[in-house]
Amino acid sequence: MKIDFDGIQAFVVIAELGGFSKAAEHLHVTQTALTRRLQKLESYLGLRLLDRTTRYVELTPVGRDFLPQAKAIVGEMTIAVGRLKDMSKHGRGSFTLACVPSMASHVLPEAIRRYAKLHPGNRIRLIDTSAFEVRDAVLHGQAELGIGIPTDRHPDLVEALLFEEPLMFFCREEHPLSRRTAVTWADMREAELIVVSSMTATRIFMDYQLAKRGISLNGAYEVQHHATAVSLVAAGVGTAILPAFTLEEGARPGVCRIPLTGPVVKRKVALIRRHNATLSPAANAFLELLMEGVSSRTG
């Protein structure tokens, strides 16, 4: 069934204002166009809703019965369209974001704080998971946006570089290397390293970059998450090589973050979204805010 909304709206406004002239003015159409709308609706229904002469307009018995339902249809549609226009104009709504944990614990909170201030009624569902699962969440529509480490290219996904962050050396302030302004990869050969799992994108990236340079490191301990590695470093269990944004300088008392050189190795952090997929207004508003923040951080 094809619903003739224009015809129903015309019928309601004519009935409420009591004439074609006022109704046409209210709807910003000509009287001829308004008449055609009503005639088209009546033709489709096979019923006359209004009796009209040059002097008056009067509801037929069928028109009187139909008017309350017609008003409800027009009212609900007006509210629904208004809500969508409001979402579009102000970026309102909710969306799901997938993100690697290292971003969720450092870079992302500032972006979410700014987003909440600009869009107080919006809600973000955050999936903090591995880089591979971030990609899959976006690919299968479980998240509109993803922030993670670039993995295997997929034709249905688009990756936009957000920034690059260097890998750094984390240790307790009592460690022999803690006073250095920089350390080299060669210095790591004797360190009791805590490494992240070989199944994580960060570890795969790090091993690849080191293998290209003929450097091989063995970890004394292996963990799944960066935050766990930081906690073990803070407890004096060992040292770690982690992305710079894992922990801000001074955020964990007793833990030092030292640049790694010879060579400086950086991992890429990308924004991931589905190819040719239209974002919801809420997700698009967050994307614009995030890109502005990244631009100011890197610019």
Side-chain angles (χ1 to χ4, degrees):
M1 180 185 297
K2 182 178 179 181
I3 305 299
D4 182 6
F5 178 77
D6 285 345
I8 295 174
Q9 183 187 47
F11 165 65
V12 169
V13 177
I14 293 168
E16 288 184 331
L17 298 182
F20 280 72
S21 177
K22 291 181 180 179
E25 183 180 347
H26 179 79
L27 293 175
H28 305 290
V29 297
T30 65
Q31 288 191 50
T32 301
L34 185 69
T35 299
R36 287 174 180 165
R37 289 185 182 184
L38 183 63
Q39 289 174 340
K40 181 181 177 183
L41 175 64
E42 290 180 327
S43 175
Y44 174 75
L45 296 174
L47 296 166
R48 184 174 287 275
L49 300 175
L50 294 169
D51 286 329
R52 56 264 195 199
T53 68
T54 55
R55 292 184 303 172
Y56 69 88
V57 173
E58 186 177 65
L59 289 166
T60 65
V62 172
R64 283 194 296 272
D65 288 341
F66 179 54
L67 183 59
Q69 300 169 60
K71 284 184 177 180
I73 292 171
V74 173
E76 290 177 5
M77 181 64 75
T78 301
I79 291 171
V81 171
R83 186 181 297 116
L84 290 176
K85 289 182 69 175
D86 191 51
M87 287 174 60
S88 174
K89 182 178 180 180
H90 301 289
R92 290 180 177 165
S94 304
F95 75 100
T96 299
L97 171 69
C99 182
V100 290
S102 57
M103 294 297 103
S105 62
H106 178 50
V107 175
L108 200 57
E110 173 60 20
I112 292 177
R113 185 191 67 79
R114 291 174 55 222
Y115 182 75
K117 185 176 181 180
L118 292 172
H119 307 280
N122 289 9
R123 294 291 179 267
I124 299 177
R125 177 175 176 257
L126 184 62
I127 303 174
D128 50 335
T129 186
S130 71
F132 298 104
E133 290 172 331
V134 166
R135 187 195 70 164
D136 287 346
V138 176
L139 182 62
H140 298 302
Q142 296 166 344
E144 289 191 70
L145 296 172
I147 300 176
I149 316 305
T151 55
D152 296 334
R153 293 283 182 181
H154 194 286
D156 292 335
L157 295 177
V158 177
E159 294 180 351
L161 179 66
L162 290 176
F163 52 82
E164 294 181 306
E165 60 173 332
L167 297 180
M168 302 186 77
F169 178 65
F170 290 75
C171 66
R172 287 282 304 177
E173 57 187 12
E174 299 87 5
H175 193 274
L177 298 176
S178 65
R179 302 302 176 189
R180 301 262 197 99
T181 56
V183 294
T184 68
W185 290 92
D187 295 326
M188 301 297 101
R189 299 185 192 278
E190 302 300 325
E192 287 285 309
L193 283 177
I194 301 162
V195 297
V196 292
S197 168
S198 59
M199 297 302 293
T200 62
T202 298
R203 175 69 180 279
I204 293 171
F205 163 76
M206 185 179 78
D207 287 348
Y208 170 73
Q209 294 295 328
L210 297 180
K212 285 201 322 185
R213 297 165 174 85
I215 300 172
S216 177
L217 299 177
N218 294 315
Y221 310 94
E222 183 175 298
V223 298
Q224 188 68 34
H225 302 291
H226 295 167
T228 305
V230 171
S231 294
L232 292 178
V233 171
V237 173
T239 61
I241 297 172
L242 300 168
F245 290 155
T246 301
L247 188 72
E248 285 186 304
E249 186 66 41
R252 197 75 176 259
V255 176
C256 301
R257 189 183 68 168
I258 306 169
L260 265 171
T261 60
V264 173
V265 176
K266 297 181 179 180
R267 76 166 184 174
K268 296 179 179 180
V269 176
L271 179 81
I272 306 167
R273 55 182 295 186
R274 289 190 67 182
H275 184 63
N276 290 332
T278 301
L279 295 176
S280 67
N284 194 62
F286 181 81
L287 173 60
E288 291 177 356
L289 183 147
L290 181 66
M291 298 308 291
E292 287 174 7
V294 168
S295 226
S296 62
R297 178 188 290 271
T298 57

